[in-house]
Every structure is written in C-alpha cells, then in structure tokens.
Amino acid sequence: MHKCLFWLALVTAIPCYAARTIPMDGQLGELKAAAIPEIKIDDKIYRTAPGLRVYGQNNALIMQSHMPQQATVWFQIEATSGNVWRLWLLTNDEVATLKARPKAIITE
C-alpha cells in the first residue's frame, strides 16, 4: 500500500518540475497596452479572440483583466480571423532562448 501511495505522489508531482513548452509557430513581441478586446504589441494593435488564453510566467492561466500593461510576450494569431488567441508572458531566460531559436522557413 505504501509503495502505491509513493508512486502516485511521484507521478502527480512530475508535471510541477517540467519546463513549459512554447510552440514554434508564434511571434515574439513587447506588450505595450492591454484594453481587452484589443492589445498593443510592438506598436501594432491586435484584436483578441473571444477564447484568448493568457499564460503567466509560471504557466498558469491568468484572467485577461490581470494582464500586465507591459511585458515581453510570445503570441499566436488565428489564421482565419487574425485575432490573437494565445499569449505567454515570458521570463528573461525564455526571451533569451526564443531569440536564439532558428527562424522557421515558411514554404507555400
């Protein structure tokens, strides 16, 4: 019985120590203002999708009303509507890692 509890505790604790993964198909930018349903990233105004998901630096979902007004972000845009639908608030280490990533080559 104690073995089962140990393994159960271990398996449930593993995701807490995993590094978060940020998808390749996104853009790095500086969030400069957030007044939902619009946000300003790198001096360009984007509309937000109705189901916008904002991930904080600890990878927890945060409410749109709690978004900071200025931050470095990684964001994804919906292909059909052009709205921002996912946004990650980045740490300094993540910014350095994303800047070092090779650029994706898009072929059509």
Side-chain angles (χ1 to χ4, degrees):
M1 180 65 170
H2 293 291
K3 267 188 182 178
C4 289
L5 290 176
F6 169 76
W7 286 109
L8 180 63
L10 182 65
V11 168
T12 57
I14 287 173
C16 298
Y17 296 106
R20 70 178 176 168
T21 56
I22 298 175
M24 291 290 286
D25 59 338
Q27 300 175 37
L28 184 64
E30 287 293 322
L31 177 67
K32 299 194 176 180
I36 304 301
E38 294 180 341
I39 57 176
K40 185 176 184 179
I41 301 174
D42 292 335
D43 299 322
K44 185 173 179 187
I45 295 176
Y46 295 94
R47 290 201 49 87
T48 59
L52 174 66
R53 299 187 81 152
V54 181
Y55 299 92
Q57 291 181 341
N58 61 356
N59 211 32
L61 286 174
I62 62 172
M63 301 296 292
Q64 296 172 13
S65 59
H66 291 101
M67 282 177 47
Q69 292 297 310
Q70 295 182 350
T72 304
V73 296
W74 184 260
F75 62 102
Q76 289 183 314
I77 297 175
E78 287 181 330
T80 55
S81 67
N83 295 337
V84 174
W85 71 288
R86 289 200 300 183
L87 185 124
W88 288 263
L89 303 175
L90 302 175
T91 64
N92 293 335
D93 293 336
E94 289 171 332
V95 172
T97 302
L98 289 170
K99 285 183 178 179
R101 269 188 188 177
K103 302 289 184 201
I105 298 172
I106 301 172
T107 58
E108 295 186 34

